[in-house]
Amino acid sequence: MSDYINIGKLAAVFGVTGELILKHALGKKISFKPGEAIFVEEKKDAYLPYFVTSAKAKTEDETILQIEDIDSREKAMILLRKQVWLPQEDFRKMVAKNSPIGLLGYTILEEGTALGIIEEVIEQPHQVLLSFIKEEKEVLIPLHDATLVNIDHKKKEVHVVLPDGLLDVYLNV
């Protein structure tokens, strides 16, 4: 797993002074402190630090950011739709305990057998999908009342019961 965690993207420009709206999946209202860094993915796997000068939590999934040296609408437009990343340590401090994205890095277990490490959490309108690698293949499993048994935050484990044949769909291709 990478040292950085994708938390969302810069979704819109707010006002004329270069403020940006960060649309994130941290699961709670987040307000960065002046001087804290966010990392913007300029190119694939190339993260440039941008330092926050001010931040206001707008909703549980949006924060308005003013970034150092971005002082006009035109400069802010260059960063639109760019992915935003945090170092893993900062991410763990900010993510809500009950947020699905907080499960990144947890081990998925079925009946006590480890299936893999969660590498991606895909939030869709009606369900959450957990992605992990098994036998060098990506496996997606739905996370909902029928599949989730327990989440152990201390051990960083997600216990599931999978529908019969779900793993076979991915592994016997």
Side-chain angles (χ1 to χ4, degrees):
M1 219 170 122
S2 160
D3 292 337
Y4 293 91
I5 306 289
N6 182 316
I7 62 164
K9 68 178 179 178
L10 296 169
V13 175
F14 184 80
V16 294
T17 60
E19 289 180 306
L20 289 151
I21 296 177
L22 168 62
K23 182 100 170 137
H24 62 79
L26 294 171
K28 63 181 179 181
K29 286 186 173 186
I30 294 294
S31 185
F32 294 84
K33 294 180 180 88
E36 285 186 318
I38 61 168
F39 292 81
V40 177
E41 188 172 21
E42 293 286 323
K43 297 178 189 162
K44 182 80 172 141
D45 296 326
Y47 312 118
L48 291 179
Y50 285 85
F51 296 96
V52 174
T53 57
S54 69
K56 295 175 274 214
K58 186 175 175 192
T59 64
E60 281 194 6
D61 64 350
E62 289 183 349
T63 299
I64 299 172
L65 298 176
Q66 184 74 57
I67 299 172
E68 195 174 272
D69 297 328
I70 305 295
D71 55 7
S72 70
R73 185 172 181 78
E74 292 73 26
K75 287 180 182 177
M77 294 291 283
I78 294 168
L79 296 176
L80 274 187
R81 291 180 286 289
K82 300 277 187 188
Q83 296 295 313
V84 175
W85 300 70
L86 288 177
Q88 206 167 117
E89 185 178 315
D90 294 346
F91 168 78
R92 288 284 165 215
K93 291 177 192 172
M94 293 182 168
V95 70
K97 199 169 203 166
N98 62 350
S99 174
I101 197 172
L103 299 176
L104 286 171
Y106 280 39
T107 301
I108 298 177
L109 294 119
E110 183 180 34
E111 296 178 5
T113 302
L115 300 177
I117 305 291
I118 299 171
E119 294 194 3
E120 185 178 7
V121 176
I122 304 162
E123 292 186 66
Q124 296 183 329
H126 300 291
Q127 73 177 353
V128 173
L129 295 172
L130 302 178
S131 168
F132 63 96
I133 303 297
K134 184 156 181 77
E135 297 177 17
E136 298 181 16
K137 294 180 183 169
E138 180 184 32
V139 177
L140 298 173
I141 62 165
L143 189 64
H144 50 69
D145 292 341
T147 58
L148 180 62
V149 175
N150 179 38
I151 297 175
D152 186 333
H153 290 288
K154 286 186 178 177
K155 292 182 180 178
K156 295 189 174 188
E157 296 176 342
V158 177
H159 298 265
V160 296
V161 173
L162 300 180
D164 289 339
L166 180 65
L167 287 179
D168 295 335
V169 169
Y170 292 99
L171 303 178
N172 295 329
V173 176

